[in-house]
Amino acid sequence: GAVVSQHPSWVICKSGTSVKIECRSLDFQATTMFWYRQFPKQSLMLMATSNEGSKATYEQGVEKDKFLINHASLTLSTLTVTSAHPEDSSFYICSAKGEREEDTQYFGPGTRLTVL
Amino acid sequence: GDSVTQMEGPVTLSEEAFLTINCTYTATGYPSLFWYVQYPGEGLQLLLKATKADDKGSNKGFEATYRKETTSFHLEKGSVQVSDSAVYFCALGGATNKLIFGTGTLLAVQP
């Protein structure tokens, strides 16, 4: 199956700093990428959908200025958590999908963010 | 709106037992249905999917049949192994390309 990678796999940062997480589709072109957040023992919450070359579409309640998403190429999307605070600590997961309607979403392994 | 309901866990089974994890959905239109598995500390992996009514998805001994009449997509496996211990998510995919997930069911298989 298709492979999606995320980097870093875990990161610890101080409150007030910004953190960038990368999501790459390694063997296919991802016209659409999705960013999710997962709290302990809970399901995935969709944060935003990004299409290559256009602005991301954020879900209701997700702060655009805090969670900056860039999808500059067909294989790379980045999520930047700006001015991170302890409540932003979570597991962030990206997924990628090809251009066909029937294409499946393939998920990255996730990034564990801990804000001190 | 569209939604997915799956049985709460944890589900604890002995090795070689039969597994069923229930999943029902509410949707407009004709969604695709998925089961994803998440092993400890990892991201989600697609386990199986079905794109239309009466389709059966299968993989690694797991099966699920898309039942439109009961709006269900129950996951089954005839004989579970310790290595199947994970969290299983049922999901619905609609025309917007978004996936809507259930809350997940933790499966613990004991030797």
Side-chain angles (χ1 to χ4, degrees):
Chain A
V3 179
V4 176
S5 69
Q6 278 184 244
H7 178 79
S9 55
W10 59 269
V11 57
I12 301 173
C13 70
K14 293 182 179 179
S15 186
T17 60
S18 295
V19 175
K20 180 184 285 188
I21 302 170
E22 292 185 349
C23 177
R24 294 183 184 272
S25 58
L26 299 185
D27 51 5
F28 69 102
Q29 293 188 326
T31 52
T32 306
M33 285 185 168
F34 304 84
W35 286 95
Y36 296 83
R37 186 172 178 177
Q38 185 181 29
F39 293 99
K41 299 183 180 180
Q42 293 188 26
S43 190
L44 280 73
M45 181 191 79
L46 179 64
M47 299 173 66
T49 303
S50 72
N51 291 295
E52 185 263 339
S54 61
K55 290 184 179 180
T57 302
Y58 290 80
E59 295 299 302
Q60 192 172 7
V62 178
E63 298 176 61
K64 300 178 183 181
D65 295 332
K66 180 162 192 62
F67 299 101
L68 301 179
I69 292 172
N70 182 274
H71 191 166
S73 78
L74 286 172
T75 58
L76 173 64
S77 176
T78 59
L79 167 67
T80 301
V81 182
T82 62
S83 187
H85 288 94
E87 57 267 28
D88 298 324
S89 299
S90 190
F91 196 50
Y92 292 88
I93 303 175
C94 74
S95 70
K97 179 181 175 300
E99 63 181 353
R100 297 179 307 175
E101 179 67 29
E102 64 273 23
D103 282 343
T104 302
Q105 281 188 39
Y106 292 94
F107 284 76
T111 297
R112 173 74 60 193
L113 170 63
T114 302
V115 184
L116 301 177
Chain B
D2 296 354
S3 65
V4 174
T5 302
Q6 63 181 105
M7 62 188 290
E8 289 191 21
V11 173
T12 303
L13 296 173
S14 298
E15 207 164 21
E16 299 183 1
F18 184 86
L19 167 71
T20 299
I21 300 178
N22 290 336
C23 172
T24 58
Y25 68 91
T26 302
T28 54
Y30 303 96
S32 295
L33 299 173
F34 305 84
W35 276 100
Y36 282 87
V37 58
Q38 185 178 34
Y39 297 101
E42 299 183 13
L44 273 69
Q45 300 176 25
L46 177 65
L47 181 59
L48 53 84
K49 69 176 183 179
T51 57
K52 61 183 187 296
D54 299 325
D55 267 3
K56 177 186 281 188
S58 61
N59 185 27
K60 299 181 181 179
F62 291 90
E63 292 183 342
T65 302
Y66 189 161
R67 302 283 188 200
K68 194 170 186 296
E69 62 276 14
T70 54
T71 61
S72 65
F73 193 55
H74 304 322
L75 181 69
E76 296 182 336
K77 186 175 185 181
S79 177
V80 294
Q81 304 300 313
V82 172
S83 56
D84 294 326
S85 298
V87 180
Y88 292 81
F89 291 94
C90 184
L92 175 159
T96 60
N97 288 327
K98 297 180 185 179
L99 284 176
I100 297 170
F101 286 89
T103 52
T105 302
L106 173 63
L107 170 65
V109 180
Q110 299 176 339

